[in-house]
């Protein structure tokens, strides 16, 4: 099948999941405490405070979208880790708000 209509350029992003790194860190701490209570050595975990890593990664994706100029951006997967977190949702809105208004985001 041929068409005269131009093809759309869609940029698909997946799982910015603001809050995931912190949640995994907290789960690791709980597991480490459990292991220590059982007589094992504590896990060595890099401390994760806040959402800086996710801010950087999602920000880089939005910056790339602004540079690539797709017809639209579609974000699939989890946007935030905790469904009731105003902080995480606010961060998603802040970063997504950096997308050029001429590029729709869905």
């Amino acid at each position: 099948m041929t068409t005269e209509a131009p093809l759309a350029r869609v940029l698909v992003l997946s799982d910015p999941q603001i809050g995931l790194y912190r949640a995994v860190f907290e789960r690791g701490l709980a597991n480490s405490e459990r292991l220590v209570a059982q007589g094992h050595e504590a896990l060595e975990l890099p401390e994760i405070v806040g959402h800086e890593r996710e801010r950087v990664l999602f920000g880089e994706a939005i910056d790339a979208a602004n540079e690539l100029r797709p017809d639209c951006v579609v974000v699939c997967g989890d946007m935030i880790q905790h469904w009731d977190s105003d902080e995480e949702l606010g961060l998603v809105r802040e970063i997504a708000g950096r997308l050029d208004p001429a590029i729709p985001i869905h």
Side-chain angles (χ1 to χ4, degrees):
M1 177 170 110
T2 61
T3 179
E4 298 297 318
L7 296 175
R9 293 177 317 127
V10 177
L11 179 62
V12 178
L13 307 179
S14 179
D15 290 306
Q17 202 154 346
I18 306 298
L20 175 64
Y21 282 98
R22 178 70 189 171
V24 169
F25 171 71
E26 289 171 355
R27 186 171 295 143
L29 281 180
N31 285 338
S32 183
E33 291 169 2
R34 182 180 49 80
L35 289 170
V36 168
Q38 294 173 354
H40 302 283
E41 289 186 29
L43 299 174
E44 290 186 32
L45 302 169
E47 185 171 3
I48 297 174
V49 178
H51 309 299
E52 191 56 31
R53 185 71 179 137
E54 293 104 328
R55 176 190 299 274
V56 168
L57 293 172
F58 191 34
E60 287 175 351
I62 294 299
D63 293 344
N66 284 328
E67 187 175 321
L68 293 169
R69 312 292 310 161
D71 296 312
C72 72
V73 172
V74 176
V75 183
C76 301
D78 298 318
M79 300 291 290
I80 59 177
Q81 177 68 19
H82 302 96
W83 65 270
D84 58 347
S85 173
D86 291 336
E87 178 186 7
E88 292 173 11
L89 184 57
L91 187 54
V92 166
R93 288 180 173 149
E94 173 192 321
I95 297 167
R98 293 178 12 205
L99 184 64
D100 185 317
I103 305 170
I105 187 168
H106 304 281

